[in-house]
Amino acid sequence: MAKSTLSFVCQNCGAAYNRWQGKCESCGEWNTLAEEDTSGSVPVSIRSKRKGRTFALESLSGKSPDAPRLSSGMTELDRVTGGGFVRGSVLLVGGDPGIGKSTLLTQATSLLARAGHRIVYISGEEAIAQVRLRAERLGLSDAPVQLAAETSVEDIVSTLSEGAVPRLIVIDSIQTMWTDTVESAPGTVTQVRASAQALIRFAKKTGAAIILVGHVTKDGQIAGPRVVEHMVDAVMSFEGEGSQQFRILRAVKNRFGPTDEIGVFEMTGLGLREVTNPSELFLSERDLGTPGTAVFAGIEGTRPVLVELQALVAPTSLGTPRRAVVGWDPSRLSMVLAVLEAHCGVKLSGHDVYLNVAGGLRINEPAADLAAAAALVSSLVNAPLPTDAVYFGEISLSGVVRPVAQTAARLKEAAKLGFGRAILPESARGEAGGDAGLSLNAIGSLTTLVAEIAARGSRRGESGAQTEKNATPARFRRGEG
Ligand code: TYD
Ligand code: MG
């Protein structure tokens, strides 16, 4: 007889403990442990004394048929998946509730169904009427998507096993699914895992592609998509600021494609619109001539993206000054601040520092160091940077500006968008090629950049445009002696 084993399972990451504790040691979240009967995770039928079946072993060199892909017809979506949905693969699309996951998948499935593929959309969250309402709003009611509002995995698998194999199945969302093989309540880690496993088995067996929708939750009430991340072939996260219209689809894991590509969308009254030139979007609401903003010429995957970095440096009223950053790595900000202090004489220990990447984009490149430094110094000395300039370059701990990859692509994008000059690493000048059409200001060390911006600040001060609060180079050295 099977023993019942009760354990406490973290609803965020799936780690199991014998005893309850307030904090999960594996992922660091608080109050996420819930009691679950983990013995049930192996169905009784499987635990029975079944004699093992024999299977053929293959060699490494054998020929596998190419992964045939199903292109969604949405360029931005295909870019992130690596060219379309792979047959028999399972893709997890995670994101905050309300970000637009159902909207994105309704649009994608409708396009595919119109193209003649058998596409099934299973909604576990919304009633059929609600899904229809959305389709109507998007002008997609005529698409022959096969729709159902179901939550039992067994029922779904039996229904889909009949007739032609669907080309793509959307499960919206995995947290609402449940299977008879385990006892836990729907939404718990054990249920989410077992349901995902059953669906993955179905995909591998039949060759249908499956998209699982997963809500990212912080409070631990519903098991997070992280518990299935390692089981699926690809994980995409759909992100965006609630207040803004931009949505970014990012590949977090992809067994069949790149993981550094992003797809950019705009949420409109008529659904998601693809943004094929993100730079235009990210720069569309620039505050021209404001101190503390610099345009960074970045690369996302294979595509150059220009984005504005905004910095605010203000005297602090706190014992420990604040450092807040949105869209960039906080430890890189600390590093840039340390280099400014140590090598350029820029004293920031008495200032709060805020850094924001405009438009809700998240930058991972060290190449943003130079733009961040320029924005910070510009805010500190209250001198706007030239509006027609882009910045890129990595800053080393010694204050040297180091070259970064794809200089030519960055310059080309900047020229295309009407920028007139680029501030870039000295050693990248050769790579730039003379034909970019930009005037190049190559700098070898961060000190040079700081001096140039400071000179702009003092010129502005002399012209009387600003009052005493305005900066002069001397202001840098406040607190130095
Ligand atoms: P939804 O796709 O339901 O989000 P999710 O499935 O990720 O929870 O999108 C919900 C939000 O999108 C909702 O606030 C309304 C908005 N929306 C639009 O702005 N335009 C549209 O055409 C649609 C369908 C939704
Ligand atoms: Mg939804």
Side-chain angles (χ1 to χ4, degrees), residues 44-55:
V44 181
S45 56
I46 292 182
R47 270 187 273 128
S48 65
K49 284 201 215 100
R50 180 171 77 88
K51 189 159 175 286
R53 169 181 70 87
T54 54
F55 51 86

Side-chain angles (χ1 to χ4, degrees), residues 127-285:
I128 300 251
Q130 286 171 297
V131 181
R132 284 195 181 137
L133 208 63
R134 182 187 291 114
E136 205 171 297
R137 177 170 173 182
L138 299 170
L140 298 167
S141 298
D142 63 310
V145 174
Q146 301 182 331
L147 188 62
E150 287 295 334
T151 53
S152 158
V153 172
E154 278 76 29
D155 295 355
I156 293 170
V157 168
S158 342
T159 309
L160 297 183
S161 304
E162 284 173 8
V165 176
R167 200 64 179 81
L168 178 71
I169 303 158
V170 173
I171 304 285
D172 188 0
S173 65
I174 185 64
Q175 278 115 340
T176 54
M177 295 294 136
W178 61 279
T179 151
D180 303 333
T181 55
V182 298
E183 310 253 296
S184 319
T188 54
V189 168
T190 318
Q191 272 291 359
V192 167
R193 239 191 229 149
S195 305
Q197 253 154 11
L199 291 164
I200 291 168
R201 250 191 327 266
F202 179 77
K204 303 288 168 205
K205 198 175 85 194
T206 59
I210 297 189
I211 300 180
L212 305 175
V213 174
H215 291 299
V216 177
T217 50
K218 278 238 150 136
D219 56 3
Q221 289 303 307
I222 311 175
R226 282 177 63 183
V227 298
V228 288
E229 273 182 10
H230 66 279
M231 301 197 269
V232 296
D233 298 303
V235 179
M236 325 252 115
S237 99
F238 204 36
E239 304 163 358
E241 297 284 317
S243 55
Q244 278 169 338
Q245 302 309 305
F246 318 131
R247 300 284 183 270
I248 292 165
L249 186 68
R250 188 184 289 280
V252 181
K253 156 182 171 178
N254 196 348
R255 284 186 186 146
F256 307 112
T259 51
D260 51 359
E261 290 286 2
I262 60 166
V264 185
F265 299 87
E266 186 184 3
M267 183 61 98
T268 69
L270 293 172
L272 289 159
R273 186 180 71 81
E274 295 184 65
V275 178
T276 36
N277 190 344
S279 304
E280 265 168 28
L281 186 76
F282 291 130
L283 296 178
S284 63
E285 281 166 31

Side-chain angles (χ1 to χ4, degrees), residues 19-94:
R19 253 179 291 161
W20 189 87
Q21 54 196 57
K23 184 183 180 185
C24 172
E25 273 151 25
S26 167
C27 66
E29 290 286 330
W30 286 88
N31 265 333
T32 53
L33 297 203
E35 197 170 0
E36 283 186 26
D37 183 353
T38 43
S39 70
S41 51
V42 181
V44 181
S45 56
I46 292 182
R47 270 187 273 128
S48 65
K49 284 201 215 100
R50 180 171 77 88
K51 189 159 175 286
R53 169 181 70 87
T54 54
F55 51 86
L57 298 164
E58 308 274 350
S59 73
L60 270 180
S61 60
K63 260 201 181 158
S64 301
D66 261 3
R69 290 174 183 272
L70 176 66
S71 165
S72 68
M74 296 174 86
T75 325
E76 292 295 297
L77 182 57
D78 286 346
R79 185 196 302 284
V80 182
T81 53
F85 307 113
V86 175
R87 207 180 269 281
S89 73
V90 180
L91 174 83
L92 175 72
V93 177

